[in-house]
Amino acid sequence: MKTSITATAAARQQKYGTLAAVDLHSNKMVSSQVETVPVPDQIKFTEADIEMLRKPAAKNKLKSTVKEKTKTIQPRQAVAGTALQFTVESITCKATNDIRKDEISVSAFVLSSNGELQEANNFFSGKFKKDDSKSLGAAGNLFSFSIADSTGTVFPASFAASVFMTEKDLLPIRK
């Protein structure tokens, strides 16, 4: 924009034509300045143009630039899922039990409809202050099931999953 504002009058005239008359440094609004600029003859509608636009499209000799859609549209085919993944993206501490930080350990398990059990014990440990949020990254990719292997003859397949979070100092130690 800066190059347009600081351009010479000749450069603005070459680039913008009659709109070069608009003074961008003026206190007048640009829209009111543009209203006073005459419309060039080559872009004005003629009476013949207006009459042609008023006729229905079928009588006009105008050709549409829009491509017709093929008449044999095929619906997309449904693709059955092949895998189920259980992932924990991040953990956020909303409130702490400790004065300084809570030491959190996380474990999880998942059980498929045919009884297959997968466990992830202590897959993440971390210290959290209030409102801390930590991304688990690759450690958060916990379980992956092949749908074909896990469902057998049971439909629909069902999976039960749980995540357990424990705080190291949850119970005070008495001496």
Side-chain angles (χ1 to χ4, degrees):
M1 184 71 181
K2 187 176 181 180
T3 57
S4 297
I5 293 172
T6 58
T8 64
R12 287 174 36 86
Q13 179 67 35
Q14 183 180 7
K15 185 170 184 177
Y16 299 110
T18 56
L19 288 177
V22 174
D23 182 7
L24 299 175
H25 297 286
S26 173
N27 290 336
K28 288 184 180 180
M29 291 183 359
V30 171
S31 60
S32 62
Q33 291 183 52
V34 170
E35 288 174 353
T36 63
V37 175
V39 178
D41 290 335
Q42 66 265 25
I43 64 170
K44 286 184 180 179
F45 281 111
T46 64
E47 289 296 325
D49 293 333
I50 293 170
E51 189 60 36
M52 187 175 70
L53 292 171
R54 286 186 179 154
K55 291 180 183 177
K59 293 179 183 175
N60 279 339
K61 294 181 180 178
L62 297 175
K63 292 185 180 178
S64 175
T65 58
V66 179
K67 292 181 181 179
E68 286 188 36
K69 292 183 180 178
T70 58
K71 296 186 184 201
T72 57
I73 296 175
Q74 297 293 322
R76 290 186 178 177
Q77 299 298 316
V79 178
T82 58
L84 173 72
Q85 292 184 323
F86 185 79
T87 303
V88 177
E89 300 267 331
S90 66
I91 297 174
T92 302
C93 176
K94 294 294 182 184
T96 61
N97 293 332
D98 231 341
I99 295 173
R100 288 173 270 136
K101 292 183 178 182
D102 281 342
E103 297 84 11
I104 303 293
S105 295
V106 186
S107 299
F109 78 88
V110 67
L111 181 66
S112 72
S113 55
N114 69 352
E116 181 183 356
L117 175 68
Q118 291 185 22
E119 297 179 29
N121 293 317
N122 263 353
F123 68 89
F124 179 80
S125 295
K127 294 184 178 184
F128 288 86
K129 289 183 180 179
K130 183 180 179 189
D131 295 324
D132 270 357
S133 187
K134 296 188 182 189
S135 174
L136 275 60
N141 296 332
L142 299 179
F143 311 113
S144 182
F145 285 92
S146 169
I147 298 293
D149 295 343
S150 300
T151 58
T153 58
V154 179
F155 182 82
S158 61
F159 297 85
S162 290
V163 176
F164 297 97
M165 303 174 105
T166 55
E167 206 274 312
K168 180 179 174 186
D169 301 323
L170 183 61
L171 300 173
I173 299 173
R174 296 182 187 190
K175 293 183 180 182

